[in-house]
């Protein structure tokens, strides 16, 4: 059985009519010097019996330090991303990307040092136009950008 994750793709319409999405840069030493392919939709894993939409809300708040700034969330469906099945909802809203406060995770760093350090799950967030977001997102999540554009064109 594949692991499951759920998340929220927050978007806003820019003054010029384009769409921007909010992405989080993955925290920790592995991602520290990477940019392209190192950004993610705020999301997290859930167990059998958990409500994926509730998990999407919870993970957004844990990773960005703020509740989803939208009342209506529209499903963008599921995708297999690596070894996980990811379910994402779109939400139109705005958030100050410079003010995020992410939860942390422990990691032995440097490897085999015996020293455990805390790292943020998301070390920064930013708004990107869809074209730029395609280059920054981890590959398994890129298809959600087209799903969002299709939804907005619909």
């Amino acid at each position: 059985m594949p692991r499951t994750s759920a998340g929220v793709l927050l978007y806003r319409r820019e003054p010029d009519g384009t769409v921007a999405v909010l992405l989080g840069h993955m925290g920790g030493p592995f991602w520290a010097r990477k940019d392209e392919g190192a950004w993610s939709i705020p999301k997290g894993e859930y167990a059998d019996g958990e409500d994926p939409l509730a998990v999407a809300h919870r993970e957004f708040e844990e990773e960005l330090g703020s509740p989803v700034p939208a009342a209506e969330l529209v499903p963008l469906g599921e995708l297999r991303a690596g070894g996980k099945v990811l379910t994402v909802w779109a939400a139109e809203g705005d958030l100050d990307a410079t003010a995020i406060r992410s939860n942390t995770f422990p990691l032995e760093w440097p490897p085999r040092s015996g020293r455990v350090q805390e790292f943020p799950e998301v070390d920064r967030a930013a708004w990107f136009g869809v074209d730029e977001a395609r280059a920054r997102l981890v590959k398994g999540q890129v298809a959600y950008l087209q799903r969002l554009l299709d939804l907005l064109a619909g």
Side-chain angles (χ1 to χ4, degrees):
M1 185 103 177
R3 296 181 320 189
T4 52
S5 288
V8 175
L9 180 57
L10 190 66
Y11 71 93
R12 68 182 183 195
R13 299 168 202 265
E14 301 291 22
D16 65 1
T18 61
V19 173
V21 295
L22 182 68
L23 302 178
H25 185 269
M26 292 183 276
F30 178 77
W31 302 102
R33 290 184 172 81
K34 295 179 169 86
D35 193 55
E36 285 194 10
W39 294 74
S40 178
I41 295 167
K43 56 149 184 57
E45 288 188 24
Y46 64 94
D48 279 348
E50 283 190 276
D51 174 28
L53 181 56
V55 170
H57 276 278
R58 176 190 75 212
E59 293 296 327
F60 186 96
E61 187 162 358
E62 285 181 2
E63 292 192 356
L64 301 179
S66 173
V68 176
E72 182 182 354
L73 277 72
V74 180
L76 293 178
E78 292 182 350
L79 283 175
R80 183 172 281 282
K84 292 183 187 179
V85 174
L86 175 59
T87 305
V88 171
W89 284 264
E92 185 172 11
D94 202 1
L95 187 72
D96 180 357
T98 64
I100 70 143
R101 295 174 322 281
S102 179
N103 58 340
T104 61
F105 65 93
L107 179 69
E108 182 181 4
W109 192 258
R112 295 178 295 286
S113 67
R115 184 170 166 225
V116 176
Q117 297 183 52
E118 291 284 324
F119 294 96
E121 280 195 53
V122 171
D123 59 16
R124 64 188 184 276
W127 288 96
F128 298 105
V130 172
D131 288 338
E132 188 174 357
R134 279 188 181 99
R136 303 227 182 194
L137 260 176
V138 292
K139 290 193 185 333
Q141 298 176 16
V142 171
Y144 281 114
L145 298 172
Q146 190 58 52
R147 288 185 182 189
L148 174 64
L149 292 177
D150 292 346
L151 172 75
L152 296 178

